Amino acid sequence: MCTKNLFLFTKILTIIILTTLTTRAQFVIKGRVTDAKNGDPLPFATVGIKGKNIGAQTNFEGIFTIRAKELGDSLYVSTVGYKTRTKAIDKKSANQTIDFQLAGEAKSLDEVIVYSGENPAFKILRKLRENSEKNDRKHLSAYEYDSYSKMELDVDNISEKFKKKKVMKQIQGAIDKFEKMAGEDGKAVIPTFISETVSKFYYRESPSRKKEMVLKNNVKGVGVKEGGFVSQLVGGNLFANYNFYNNYVAFLGKDVISPIGENWKGTYKWYLSDTTDIDGHICYGMEFDPKNDKDLVFIGKAYIDTTTYALVQIDATVGKEANINFIDKIKISQELTQTSEGAWLPAKTRFLIDIAEISKNSAGMLLKMYISNKDFVINQPKPLAFYDIPVEVAEDSKETDPKFWEQARHEPFSAQDVLASKLIDTVRNVPIVRTYVEIAEIIASGYKRFDGLEIGPYLYSIAFNRIEGMRLRMGFRTNAAFSKRWVFKGFAGIGTRDLKMKYGAEANYILSRRHWTVAGIKHTYDLERIGLTPELISDNKIFYAFTRWGLYSGAFYRRENEAFIKTEPTKGITLTASLIQRNFDPLFAFKYRTNPEMNQLSPSRDYYDDTFLTLEARFAKNETYIMDGNERITLDTKRVPVVTLTYQRGLKGFLNGDFDYHKFTAKVYQTFRLGTLGRSSYLLQAGYTPSSLPAPLLYPHLGNQTLFFNRAAFNTMHYFEFVSDKFVSVQYNHNFEGLLFNRIPAIRQLKWRLLATANILYGSQKQGNQQLMDDAMPIFNPRHPSNMLESRFNFSSLDPNIPFVEVGYGIDNIFKIFRIQAFHRLTYLDHLSPSGKLPDKFTIKGSVHFSF
């Protein structure tokens, strides 16, 4: 027995010695591969020793480790969309770190030609689509998970000339440290914002609901204020929860064709490159490249499990060649994990937007987001009421203790992250930086913010017109720093010609944030125009501002009192009730018969008082909101129709009301994708009143006599040219995006987008309403400040058998910000406008708008 034990001991000792010798003889090379321009880690990159069949692949953080018994002269790195780099290896060092910074390369994959049979990648992709029924997360009834997210906003592309600017000189020391951290081939960036968030994310499939509960966050940045909507955006899961099984991946209002969607073959070229082990899953490595790089498409690499044919990892990039504005690159990297039910959920997501510099000597911007999810719970949906508030921030969510974040992070902070946090403190305390931030804030919001109070909006501060002369106006509103319940607004203005004071005051009280219940009262006295009042123009603030300039025909003074309450009893349904009293004091020739049944013997009046009750219901399925202080900002409605139904009841005798009437109005708006043909939107409206009313109280159709395009207006119609008591209209707009221009060699570089428009209106006016206005005629109006004869308003009715029709076409994205559209009026070509002129059969409208 002793001999056997001795033999066994000797054998074990020999194995230990051999293992030790082997380990000592092994070389270990570690490193990290990043984008040279922005420092973003590059997952799935191939790293190998040149001349040896030894290598590795970078993980999701761009980190690699190679263990080898022997070394070559150099180490190389290659990945899709980047130039291959090589660095020398120190053969004498057993452990060494070699980092790579790769420069981008605008080179696509060569098309794969298979002479015997089809491309082998096609079979794999067909299998992926066939198995999507069990792999796609949409087939789970519900899921939830714990999430950690980090968001960073940087300034990049810092030129030498930009470094000489005054603002840069004040932070040069901190920038020098960051340049060293970027690496020998990397470019420095200046962090301006960084946040960390711990949250819980919940999703329910039917009906579709989602919610993110922000538990803790730490937000640090230039110009960041407490109590804003930033703390709701930093969670990230509501906005970066990308699903590549969908046909389109949506962000920035754009729909990028998914490489593994149903159109994978028609849009992309595919290449089966390798197989690799990813966390125990043997995967096909599949490289993809667009057939037309000007389309909204990705380039990158996907890893598909060889057994389940599920997407395991993907690295997808939209380059600057695509028809998208102000963007050099959009990159999404995603790592998925399999749940107990078979479907796969995102475990890690990295999202980057590289915003292009405006000029050669200016800087660009980088937005980076990293999201890590764990502790998944499957198929346990919460009650519907739980999802009422899509983003909920805990009252004690602010957490700045470094020890807490050391434990909360799913991955430790890198040295670059630590330095970025310190640099932000330096940058945000520079006076000129604070000035730049304030200017940008005024441009974006229209208000200058103070503690608890905001002054503006500056868009309405000045105007020139024939009635008022130079109009000066100033307003204010309170914010959440003043009160989280009470909101006060007001304005005062005066014209240098009419010398009449205009003013307004409003007080709102927020009864509930969960069901967004607000009650309020307001009083205003101002100069308005028939057919161009705020309630008709809706939220087009720029168009409303421009209508206050020029001749200002159809002007009237209006005093208005309103009390209202608005609530959202359940998600997607908003109910509003309001009681409004208005008077109408025109500055143009206007009369109506108070007793039209008496014909010519009827008394007439040139003004009226109107008191009415309004009940409104708005249906917007899956609409998502976030809170900006005391205001709600809508994010999207999942491209389903938004329906608004309104009923108005005139109250004669109540608060001096002159009319007893009923009005019914319906409105439907939707934007939707037409596959590769582009994106469409329509506005469908209908209205009906059985009552006899003066023309301004009917349905005046919105015309447009400005040079600027208005999507909600009839752009070849004059102001108040047609009035109806029942009507139906549709306004259809289609943007072909780059469908046609992307395929014309001489034009495709301009990134123009073709537009098409068709507006149709059916309407009529019953005989009783026409008789009511028969006495309207040009008369001298002593209250008119110019003592001039005003042109007559015909208050014309449309022929119920002949629609008003206009069609348009144009080019969008000229120099990235301009839109030019031509419109042809096809009917009512001989109809006189309210000013007695023939209409414009053809007109050109322009607009300036920023879109990606």
Side-chain angles (χ1 to χ4, degrees):
M1 293 294 293
C2 292
T3 304
K4 289 183 178 180
N5 289 338
L6 179 63
F7 174 76
L8 182 61
F9 174 76
T10 304
K11 189 175 182 179
I12 293 173
L13 182 61
T14 302
I15 293 172
I16 293 173
I17 292 172
L18 289 175
T19 303
T20 304
L21 291 174
T22 303
T23 304
R24 288 181 177 177
Q26 190 179 60
F27 296 93
V28 179
I29 304 175
K30 296 181 178 180
R32 195 173 192 229
V33 182
T34 57
D35 188 310
K37 183 180 178 183
N38 52 52
D40 197 48
L42 298 180
F44 326 135
T46 299
V47 186
I49 299 175
K50 201 167 185 180
K52 307 289 182 181
N53 191 22
I54 302 170
Q57 190 177 64
T58 58
N59 64 12
F60 199 75
E61 281 68 44
I63 296 171
F64 67 89
T65 301
I66 294 178
R67 291 180 172 86
K69 295 180 181 180
E70 57 179 340
L71 298 177
D73 295 325
S74 58
L75 193 69
Y76 72 89
V77 177
S78 65
T79 190
V80 177
Y82 291 86
K83 296 178 182 179
T84 299
R85 289 295 311 274
T86 304
K87 287 189 176 184
I89 295 175
D90 183 0
K91 292 186 177 182
K92 298 179 180 180
S93 177
N95 292 279
Q96 54 189 304
T97 299
I98 303 178
D99 293 331
F100 286 86
Q101 298 85 33
L102 302 187
E105 183 178 36
K107 179 182 179 182
S108 7
L109 300 169
D110 294 330
E111 185 156 7
V112 177
I113 301 175
V114 180
Y115 293 98
S116 178
E118 68 171 355
N119 185 337
F122 291 177
K123 180 181 178 181
I124 299 169
L125 289 160
R126 279 197 295 269
K127 287 285 188 179
L128 180 144
R129 292 304 308 175
E130 291 170 5
N131 286 274
S132 64
E133 182 72 23
K134 60 183 179 182
N135 293 325
D136 188 351
R137 74 190 80 160
K138 288 189 297 186
H139 303 295
L140 297 172
S141 63
Y143 55 83
E144 61 188 80
Y145 49 75
D146 296 334
S147 183
Y148 165 84
S149 59
K150 180 182 66 177
M151 184 187 293
E152 184 178 330
L153 184 64
D154 305 326
V155 176
D156 74 336
N157 285 340
I158 306 167
S159 64
E160 292 301 320
K161 186 172 182 179
F162 190 79
K163 288 181 181 180
K164 295 178 182 178
K165 293 181 179 292
K166 182 179 179 181
V167 63
M168 299 296 292
K169 291 180 179 180
Q170 299 182 51
I171 58 173
Q172 190 59 49
I175 294 174
D176 290 342
K177 293 180 182 178
F178 226 73
E179 285 182 331
K180 293 178 182 178
M181 187 69 68
E184 58 188 272
D185 300 309
K187 297 181 180 179
V189 297
I190 304 175
T192 61
F193 172 93
I194 191 168
S195 70
E196 292 185 273
T197 303
V198 175
S199 63
K200 289 276 292 185
F201 181 74
Y202 304 87
Y203 180 80
R204 174 174 176 151
E205 178 60 31
S206 182
S208 179
R209 296 285 190 272
K210 56 187 177 181
K211 178 187 183 74
E212 185 159 21
M213 185 173 292
V214 177
L215 304 176
K216 296 290 182 182
N217 62 40
N218 185 21
V219 180
K220 182 184 293 187
V222 178
V224 176
K225 293 180 173 61
E226 295 295 329
F229 62 87
V230 173
S231 60
Q232 298 163 75
L233 294 175
V234 294
N237 278 281
L238 283 178
F239 321 105
N241 194 7
Y242 303 111
N243 188 347
F244 283 88
Y245 284 102
N246 294 333
N247 292 330
Y248 296 91
V249 179
F251 50 77
L252 301 177
K254 298 292 183 181
D255 295 304
V256 184
I257 301 172
S258 172
I260 63 169
E262 293 178 354
N263 200 24
W264 58 266
K265 189 175 182 180
T267 309
Y268 290 93
K269 297 177 287 184
W270 283 90
Y271 172 58
L272 177 60
S273 58
D274 56 25
T275 58
T276 188
D277 186 333
I278 299 178
D279 294 333
H281 298 278
I282 305 302
C283 298
Y284 297 111
M286 311 273 288
E287 296 182 6
F288 52 89
D289 194 52
K291 291 184 175 180
N292 187 333
D293 60 5
K294 292 296 184 291
D295 291 336
L296 289 178
V297 285
F298 293 103
I299 182 174
K301 192 169 185 177
Y303 288 90
I304 300 169
D305 185 69
T306 57
T307 303
T308 64
Y309 292 94
L311 179 67
V312 178
Q313 288 188 351
I314 189 167
D315 189 53
T317 300
V318 180
K320 64 189 303 181
E321 297 82 11
N323 194 331
I324 192 167
N325 293 328
F326 313 113
I327 300 294
D328 273 347
K329 178 188 291 185
I330 297 172
K331 184 178 177 182
I332 303 172
S333 300
Q334 193 174 72
E335 179 182 292
L336 296 99
T337 186
Q338 191 174 24
T339 66
S340 58
E341 296 294 325
W344 294 65
L345 287 169
K348 295 180 182 179
T349 301
R350 184 172 283 108
F351 177 56
L352 177 143
I353 301 179
D354 189 349
I355 304 171
E357 59 271 22
I358 299 174
S359 64
K360 292 182 179 180
N361 294 317
S362 64
M365 298 290 289
L366 283 173
L367 175 63
K368 303 178 186 179
M369 181 179 288
Y370 169 74
I371 304 171
S372 176
N373 307 319
K374 65 180 183 180
D375 297 336
F376 297 93
V377 178
I378 306 301
N379 294 338
Q380 296 183 22
K382 304 289 185 183
L384 283 176
F386 175 80
Y387 304 90
D388 281 345
I389 300 180
V391 184
E392 193 167 358
V393 182
E395 292 186 4
D396 58 344
S397 63
K398 185 177 179 180
E399 179 60 69
T400 59
D401 185 2
K403 293 183 180 179
F404 171 85
W405 291 106
E406 288 176 5
Q407 298 296 322
R409 295 180 189 122
H410 295 186
E411 303 287 343
F413 249 15
S414 66
Q416 192 170 15
D417 291 329
V418 174
L419 184 58
S421 182
K422 293 179 180 179
L423 184 58
I424 288 173
D425 291 330
T426 303
V427 174
R428 67 180 177 180
N429 291 321
V430 176
I432 193 170
V433 171
R434 292 201 298 267
T435 301
Y436 287 163
V437 170
E438 288 182 1
I439 293 173
E441 195 174 63
I442 291 173
I443 294 173
S445 68
Y447 286 84
K448 173 69 173 76
R449 297 188 178 185
F450 300 93
D451 290 339
L453 188 69
E454 302 174 12
I455 303 298
Y458 292 101
L459 184 63
Y460 298 156
S461 295
I462 189 169
F464 290 87
N465 60 67
R466 182 166 58 95
I467 306 297
E468 296 174 291
M470 181 172 69
R471 173 188 170 98
L472 301 174
R473 181 187 186 277
M474 185 57 66
F476 77 92
R477 68 184 183 190
T478 61
N479 55 39
F482 173 83
S483 171
K484 292 186 177 181
R485 290 286 186 180
W486 286 102
V487 180
F488 296 101
K489 303 177 183 179
F491 76 89
I494 193 170
T496 58
R497 187 171 187 179
D498 68 348
L499 297 178
K500 280 197 174 184
M501 181 66 69
K502 292 89 178 176
Y503 50 85
E506 182 176 352
N508 297 334
Y509 185 76
I510 301 173
L511 296 165
S512 170
R513 290 178 179 267
R514 174 169 293 276
H515 293 288
W516 191 240
T517 304
V518 182
I521 57 172
K522 68 178 181 180
H523 171 80
T524 60
Y525 178 72
D526 207 345
L527 184 70
E528 300 290 356
R529 301 177 69 178
I530 54 173
L532 295 169
T533 54
E535 60 269 18
L536 291 175
I537 295 177
S538 188
D539 60 350
N540 196 330
K541 296 180 174 62
I542 296 178
F543 181 75
Y544 181 66
F546 276 114
T547 63
R548 289 197 169 274
W549 295 67
L551 294 176
Y552 217 84
S553 59
F556 66 93
Y557 288 108
R558 181 167 78 179
R559 192 179 303 277
E560 179 177 359
N561 300 288
E562 178 180 356
F564 72 91
I565 185 168
K566 177 187 295 186
T567 186
E568 187 181 57
T570 186
K571 185 174 173 59
I573 300 178
T574 303
L575 304 177
T576 305
S578 59
L579 178 64
I580 301 174
Q581 188 273 329
R582 295 173 178 161
N583 64 13
F584 179 77
D585 187 7
L587 298 179
F588 60 93
F590 172 81
K591 285 198 301 182
Y592 72 96
R593 292 173 177 167
T594 57
N595 297 303
E597 65 277 2
M598 297 174 61
N599 297 320
Q600 300 293 333
L601 298 178
S602 170
S604 62
R605 294 176 65 182
D606 61 359
Y607 69 94
Y608 60 75
D609 292 300
D610 180 28
T611 302
F612 58 95
L613 175 69
T614 298
L615 301 176
E616 182 177 281
R618 182 177 181 271
F619 305 90
K621 184 180 179 182
N622 298 334
E623 188 168 27
T624 301
Y625 289 97
I626 60 173
M627 293 298 302
D628 181 12
N630 291 329
E631 292 188 298
R632 287 207 312 177
I633 300 174
T634 181
L635 296 179
D636 64 75
T637 56
K638 286 297 181 184
R639 297 169 172 82
V640 296
V642 177
V643 181
T644 304
L645 304 176
T646 306
Y647 167 70
Q648 288 184 351
R649 177 73 165 90
L651 303 174
K652 186 175 182 179
F654 183 67
L655 297 177
N656 298 319
D658 290 326
F659 308 104
D660 187 3
Y661 60 87
H662 305 272
K663 286 180 71 174
F664 307 89
T665 310
K667 180 168 66 174
V668 182
Y669 175 78
Q670 184 182 12
T671 175
F672 56 93
R673 182 89 197 179
L674 283 178
T676 57
L677 295 178
R679 176 164 292 282
S680 288
S681 67
Y682 68 84
L683 176 63
L684 176 64
Q685 296 185 89
Y688 172 66
T689 175
S691 309
S692 296
L693 295 168
L697 290 180
L698 299 177
Y699 296 103
H701 304 296
L702 183 61
N704 183 7
Q705 291 176 240
T706 72
L707 298 174
F708 302 96
F709 167 72
N710 184 352
R711 184 182 299 270
F714 295 91
N715 288 278
T716 60
M717 186 185 291
H718 286 258
Y719 299 143
F720 217 80
E721 184 176 352
F722 293 104
V723 182
S724 301
D725 52 38
K726 60 179 177 180
F727 78 96
V728 60
S729 69
V730 61
Q731 292 163 289
Y732 183 85
N733 292 276
H734 183 77
N735 191 326
F736 289 94
E737 295 177 338
L739 178 65
L740 300 178
F741 289 144
N742 281 357
R743 285 149 182 83
I744 303 176
I747 296 181
R748 63 193 302 229
Q749 303 299 329
L750 300 174
K751 298 185 178 180
W752 287 355
R753 302 162 188 168
L754 182 64
L755 303 169
T757 301
N759 298 328
I760 302 173
L761 167 66
Y762 278 93
S764 64
Q765 195 179 139
K766 65 182 181 180
Q767 188 66 29
N769 282 322
Q770 294 177 9
Q771 291 176 349
L772 195 72
M773 299 300 300
D774 272 352
D775 283 344
M777 56 184 298
I779 60 171
F780 177 75
N781 191 335
R783 289 180 294 179
H784 194 290
S786 62
N787 288 333
M788 294 178 62
L789 190 67
E790 282 282 281
S791 298
R792 176 187 177 187
F793 282 86
N794 296 319
F795 309 119
S796 298
S797 170
L798 290 154
D799 185 327
N801 299 311
I802 302 176
F804 178 90
V805 181
E806 65 180 14
V807 294
Y809 48 86
I811 299 175
D812 189 19
N813 212 41
I814 301 172
F815 301 117
K816 299 183 179 180
I817 61 171
F818 295 108
R819 169 188 290 173
I820 300 295
Q821 282 189 265
F823 288 91
H824 295 269
R825 179 164 168 162
L826 303 184
T827 56
Y828 296 93
L829 302 182
D830 297 324
H831 185 267
L832 295 179
S833 70
S835 60
K837 297 180 180 179
L838 286 172
D840 295 324
K841 300 177 182 178
F842 173 79
T843 186
I844 295 178
K845 304 290 184 181
S847 62
V848 177
H849 71 117
F850 293 89
S851 68
F852 291 101

